[in-house]
Amino acid sequence: MADKKAKKLIYTRHEMFELNKKLLLKRGVTLESIAEISFNQQAKYTDNISRDICLESVEKILSLRDVFHHVQLAAEIDRLAEEGMFQGPIQDIIYEDLGLFGIDETMGLDVSGLYGTIGQTNFGDIDVNNHGIVKRLNDAGKEDGICHTFLDDIVGAIAAAASTRVAQVMSEETAHEETGLKRFSIFDL
Ligand code: MG
């Protein structure tokens, strides 16, 4: 049996961010394209939001351990399905992205709720209305040899969590202004 001690299991926030960024890029997803969805979603509800705060939110989320595990697993499931590596009925169910298969959405719901329940509503909106990179992943996933069954939901969920974080940061700033305090620093969202 392989020596378990020789294996690396724990990564720093920076390493997790870099590994997630690299893997997403390999699968055709830029962080800017995720931030774009967050911006378009949150701009409907909040004035004066910047693309920078959306991108910062995406970057922050991608450095979290739970999200690291989700992204790494989701991308691997899709890759294995592309290579026909699963045995039994689940291979075709995942590869064909069966509508009634919902484990990809379950993972998305988990990630999207990071900054509050509203993130899950945001995720539902992205899942149903299918904009930007999520739509592109969905469309590309219908082509031969490509499977994005899990990736589209993880990407949509990160966008949903990021737009929720933007709302939380803006609310915190407003609350601090009302109390006469300068920009917050202790409560790092
Ligand atoms: Mg899916």
Side-chain angles (χ1 to χ4, degrees), residues 85-97:
M85 296 296 283
F86 290 101
Q87 292 182 354
I90 206 69
Q91 169 63 40
D92 289 344
I93 290 170
I94 294 175
Y95 184 73
E96 296 298 331
D97 199 3

Side-chain angles (χ1 to χ4, degrees), residues 97 101 104-105 127 138 148-153:
D97 199 3
F101 176 77
D104 44 347
E105 275 90 4
D127 187 45
N138 233 297
H148 289 153
T149 300
F150 279 79
L151 188 66
D152 61 350
D153 293 291

Side-chain angles (χ1 to χ4, degrees), residues 124-138:
D125 168 42
I126 293 167
D127 187 45
V128 171
N129 295 315
N130 239 293
H131 300 299
I133 184 66
V134 173
K135 176 167 172 36
R136 293 201 290 281
L137 288 172
N138 233 297

Side-chain angles (χ1 to χ4, degrees), residues 8 10 13 18 22 32 42 52 61 63 72 92 119 125 132 150-151 154:
K8 182 173 168 74
I10 302 294
R13 295 281 295 269
E18 289 296 335
K22 198 171 150 196
E32 287 76 12
Q42 200 51 44
D52 282 354
I61 288 162
S63 77
Q72 299 292 316
D92 289 344
D125 168 42
F150 279 79
L151 188 66
I154 285 299

